[in-house]
Amino acid sequence: MKRKPFPWHLFVFLGPAVLVYTLFMIYPMVASLAFSLFQEGEGGRQVFVGLGNYVRLLTDPLWSEPFWNAFKNNVVFFLIHMTVQNPLALLFAALLATNIRGAWIYRTIIFTPAILSAVLIGFAWKLILSPTWGIWFPILDRLGLGDNEVAIALLGNESSALITLSLISVWQNVGIPMMLFLAALIRIPKELIEAAQVDGASGWRIFWQIQFPLILPTVGIVAILTFIGNFNAFDLIYATQGALAGPNFSTDIMGTFFFRTFFGFQLRPGDPHMGATVAGVMLLIILSGVILYLYGWQRRIEEVQY
Amino acid sequence: MLRRLLSALTAHAILAGYSLLVLFPILLVFLNSFKDQMAIFAEPLKPPTPETFSLDGYRTLLEVANFPRYFMNSLTVTVVAIFLIVFLGAMAGFALAEYRFRLNTFLGIYLALGIMVPIRLGTVGLLRMMAEWHLVNTLTALILVYTAMGLPLSVFILSRFFAQLPPDFKDAARVDGASEYRVFWMVLPLVRPALGTVAAISMIPIWNDLWFPLILAPSERTKTIVLGAQIFLGQFMNDWQAVLAALSLAMIPAVLLYLVFSKQLIRGLTAGAVK
């Protein structure tokens, strides 16, 4: 038998993708992590400080206060997506999966905002909720909230801005988990559901006892995608509230905090080393979520299914 | 029977109600962009009439901001990046599915890392690298970053599709003396739906991104439509006609395009996402 020639084709096929991916994704990530271990010393020299920047971020009040504020806000942002967006998406998907007439139109419409930039969505809602325009006011009057300061300027009050922006983000993105749930529901064999119907089970029971358990893997995927997306979000807050994530940093999340730290704001110059440190912490948060999902959720699901 | 009818009605009420909530803001912005300032504030919920019709917003837009250029920049970046994501992804996906070699599993996992980890977290490193290579404020920088961002999912999905192809066809070609490259070209059309899926999934985040244009290519020459709109909207915050016109101009083509291709897009999204 002839000896196999050297597999050049492997290099040709895999080389370009691996090269681009390594150079522009992996290498910058590693370089950024390495960069977070240094600080600028005298005369612009790079001085190795170990985990010093991380300690500073978590303990120096100048850094830790805005950091914990952004983290806390991001948790709220995420929890609103988990408790409003994903159940709503599941409800829509369950209704659409019943082969309701016009399902195609509904799902096309509900998905529409997801194809638009968060910048445009954010600005459109900013106009609609603006007290200058006041389209909102007749509804408020009817609800008896006509003089309520918070309701008049939902995006201008510390107590309401973050929740309002979270709900705008939910409004924009609910179509994505809806599609994922719907795709999973459609794949369930029809016979299973028909058999239950013959036995006289109600739609409610069929959903919770047959359909929902079968789409649990998708529930996990949706949760982890929401988590990654939320802890990496930036565009909506930056577009509507600016880099300062006002009012008074009440809508600041990790993404906007990272941006400000890296590029500076007002009189404070940017600090690339601290920026890289914030990115390092964000990476840690996201990786913890992914690991929790892979080992805590997916593995257990597999045990149940097989 | 009555119960069934009632539950169908409830379902329609929920879905139609939410659909209205989706359409209302988009239509509101669009309709008001064709009205004069007075009418926008006096009667925001009414469509433009011959008396209130005005194109002043669009006029300001054309005079102040170079939207055709921003649009072309977005188009260039998206089209080139999508081509690279699909083509390089197909080559790599084919190799991972077709050949058994020592590093196969490792490379598969290595490339899949990028599905879970957002590329934004490497921004500090990326900006320094692009500055060193004099690529800041070029569309090339954006194309390279977006290609790297889209490749992991592309390789992952396409390798699964290539793996499902029956081997007989390829083996027959090899017996006839076809090279491995030729075999690749022959099977590529067989996964065409998957290529469409990958293109559809990758396109939206690239076209809509604000982060990288803002950081890597904020110059007037290289602004994308999203960054251009963001800056324009910030500067003209008090010129309602101009702001509404800018929002409409940026939204409506995307919405129309989406409505035309929604069938393919949604099918692609669900097919790809399930895997």
Side-chain angles (χ1 to χ4, degrees):
Chain A
M1 209 174 125
K2 213 163 61 171
R3 203 170 157 245
K4 270 194 178 170
F6 189 75
W8 283 113
H9 57 276
L10 281 183
F11 285 85
V12 176
F13 282 134
L14 281 161
V18 172
L19 185 74
V20 171
Y21 172 73
T22 306
L23 260 182
F24 298 101
M25 177 129 188
I26 298 298
Y27 171 74
M29 200 87 69
V30 173
S32 174
L33 282 177
F35 203 63
S36 71
L37 303 178
F38 287 81
Q39 196 40 267
E40 199 149 315
E42 275 168 52
R45 279 234 319 268
Q46 311 281 323
V47 183
F48 182 76
V49 292
L51 293 175
N53 289 328
Y54 290 88
V55 173
R56 188 144 75 112
L57 182 68
L58 296 174
T59 58
D60 179 352
L62 191 70
W63 288 101
S64 66
E65 269 168 36
F67 167 75
W68 287 114
N69 173 56
F71 180 76
K72 192 199 81 217
N73 289 338
N74 220 145
V75 171
V76 172
F77 192 68
F78 170 65
L79 288 179
I80 292 178
H81 281 80
M82 283 302 280
T83 53
V84 181
Q85 173 186 279
N86 297 344
L88 211 55
L90 188 60
L91 171 71
F92 294 155
L95 295 178
L96 291 173
T98 59
N99 269 330
I100 188 170
R101 201 174 288 188
W104 183 257
I105 299 173
Y106 289 136
R107 77 157 121 166
T108 305
I109 293 177
I110 295 175
F111 193 75
T112 307
I115 60 139
L116 294 170
S117 154
V119 171
L120 305 176
I121 297 291
F123 248 92
W125 274 104
K126 194 175 173 179
L127 297 184
I128 291 165
L129 296 176
S130 148
T132 323
W133 207 4
I135 328 184
W136 204 220
F137 291 174
I139 304 171
L140 286 187
D141 285 338
R142 202 161 299 168
L143 293 172
L145 289 168
D147 329 301
N148 188 313
E149 269 175 46
V150 174
I152 287 173
L154 284 172
L155 287 175
N157 281 290
E158 281 183 48
S159 59
S160 58
L162 180 63
I163 297 172
T164 309
L165 283 167
S166 308
L167 292 176
I168 293 174
S169 172
V170 167
W171 177 86
Q172 170 171 25
N173 294 311
V174 71
I176 299 170
M178 178 187 79
M179 290 298 179
L180 299 181
F181 286 136
L182 186 59
L185 286 171
I186 287 173
R187 277 183 312 156
I188 296 176
K190 284 222 162 47
E191 300 82 56
L192 272 179
I193 294 162
E194 278 161 9
Q197 276 168 344
V198 171
D199 289 345
S202 66
W204 182 257
R205 237 186 112 191
I206 292 175
F207 179 76
W208 287 111
Q209 303 210 328
I210 299 175
Q211 292 172 297
F212 188 72
L214 285 174
I215 63 165
L216 274 179
T218 309
V219 174
I221 292 174
V222 165
I224 190 64
L225 288 181
T226 308
F227 182 82
I228 297 173
N230 286 170
F231 274 91
N232 179 38
F234 168 80
D235 298 17
L236 178 69
I237 311 282
Y238 181 80
T240 51
Q241 311 296 76
L244 288 175
N248 192 23
F249 300 108
S250 63
T251 56
D252 201 21
I253 55 175
M254 295 306 292
T256 41
F257 178 56
F258 172 34
F259 181 84
R260 275 203 321 280
T261 309
F262 186 16
F263 290 97
F265 63 104
Q266 290 174 331
L267 293 175
R268 193 150 147 189
D271 183 337
H273 292 282
M274 286 308 279
T277 309
V278 175
V281 174
M282 288 169 77
L283 184 66
L284 199 71
I285 294 172
I286 286 173
L287 283 183
S288 327
V290 170
I291 289 169
L292 204 72
Y293 160 72
L294 288 178
Y295 290 93
W297 177 271
Q298 215 183 29
R299 189 174 272 187
R300 208 161 291 171
I301 290 291
E302 276 169 10
E303 278 167 15
V304 173
Q305 289 207 316
Y306 299 104
Chain B
M1 195 62 219
L2 185 73
R3 240 187 93 179
R4 253 191 134 161
L5 191 74
L6 218 68
S7 68
L9 272 178
T10 319
H12 275 293
I14 294 172
L15 291 168
Y18 193 83
S19 298
L20 282 180
L21 187 65
V22 168
L23 293 177
F24 173 71
I26 298 172
L27 284 176
L28 191 73
V29 166
F30 183 63
L31 290 177
N32 277 289
S33 73
F34 294 104
K35 287 158 51 171
D36 59 40
Q37 189 102 357
M38 277 282 285
I40 291 174
F41 283 99
E43 291 171 330
L45 298 181
K46 293 216 175 122
T49 62
E51 291 90 66
T52 60
F53 183 82
S54 159
L55 288 175
D56 286 352
Y58 291 91
R59 224 162 276 144
T60 314
L61 206 62
L62 283 180
E63 280 161 20
V64 179
N66 199 348
F67 270 83
R69 157 149 246 165
Y70 305 159
F71 186 82
M72 280 314 292
N73 287 339
S74 280
L75 199 66
T76 312
V77 168
T78 310
V79 168
V80 178
I82 292 292
F83 172 77
L84 290 173
I85 289 169
V86 171
F87 191 63
L88 302 187
M91 293 204 303
F94 176 75
L96 288 180
E98 185 70 20
Y99 309 114
R100 302 270 144 262
F101 55 97
R102 211 176 303 157
L103 285 175
N104 190 314
T105 317
F106 168 78
L107 274 180
I109 295 172
Y110 176 70
L111 286 166
L113 273 180
I115 299 176
M116 291 289 190
V117 180
I119 192 169
R120 282 181 187 182
L121 301 183
T123 301
V124 176
L126 263 174
L127 181 59
R128 287 167 61 79
M129 193 166 107
M130 293 299 180
E132 219 165 277
W133 293 0
H134 304 288
L135 285 175
V136 173
N137 281 328
T138 63
L139 296 182
T140 314
L142 293 180
I143 290 169
L144 290 169
V145 170
Y146 291 141
T147 306
M149 176 173 101
L151 271 174
L153 195 62
S154 167
V155 174
F156 184 71
I157 292 176
L158 293 177
S159 72
R160 294 197 160 204
F161 273 92
F162 279 118
Q164 286 167 6
L165 295 178
D168 335 6
F169 176 63
K170 288 170 281 191
D171 290 341
R174 286 191 182 110
V175 169
D176 286 347
S179 70
E180 292 305 319
Y181 309 110
R182 177 115 194 88
V183 172
F184 172 66
W185 277 118
M186 281 169 54
V187 296
L188 196 56
L190 299 179
V191 295
R192 208 161 41 196
L195 301 180
T197 299
V198 170
I201 299 182
S202 317
M203 191 159 51
I204 298 169
I206 296 178
W207 180 270
N208 286 334
D209 187 39
L210 172 68
W211 179 264
F212 285 113
L214 182 66
I215 289 166
L216 294 178
S219 76
E220 180 61 26
R221 214 169 35 80
T222 52
K223 265 182 213 164
T224 60
I225 187 102
V226 169
L227 180 62
Q230 150 76 23
I231 291 172
F232 179 86
L233 292 169
Q235 281 171 347
F236 283 76
M237 197 54 214
N238 295 317
D239 184 341
W240 282 64
Q241 285 183 291
V243 167
L244 289 167
L247 283 175
S248 304
L249 205 67
M251 274 192 202
I252 299 307
V255 171
L256 289 181
L257 222 79
Y258 162 67
L259 292 181
V260 173
F261 291 107
S262 61
K263 233 168 202 157
Q264 288 87 335
L265 180 76
I266 290 177
R267 199 164 288 151
L269 286 174
T270 38
V274 174
K275 298 258 154 177

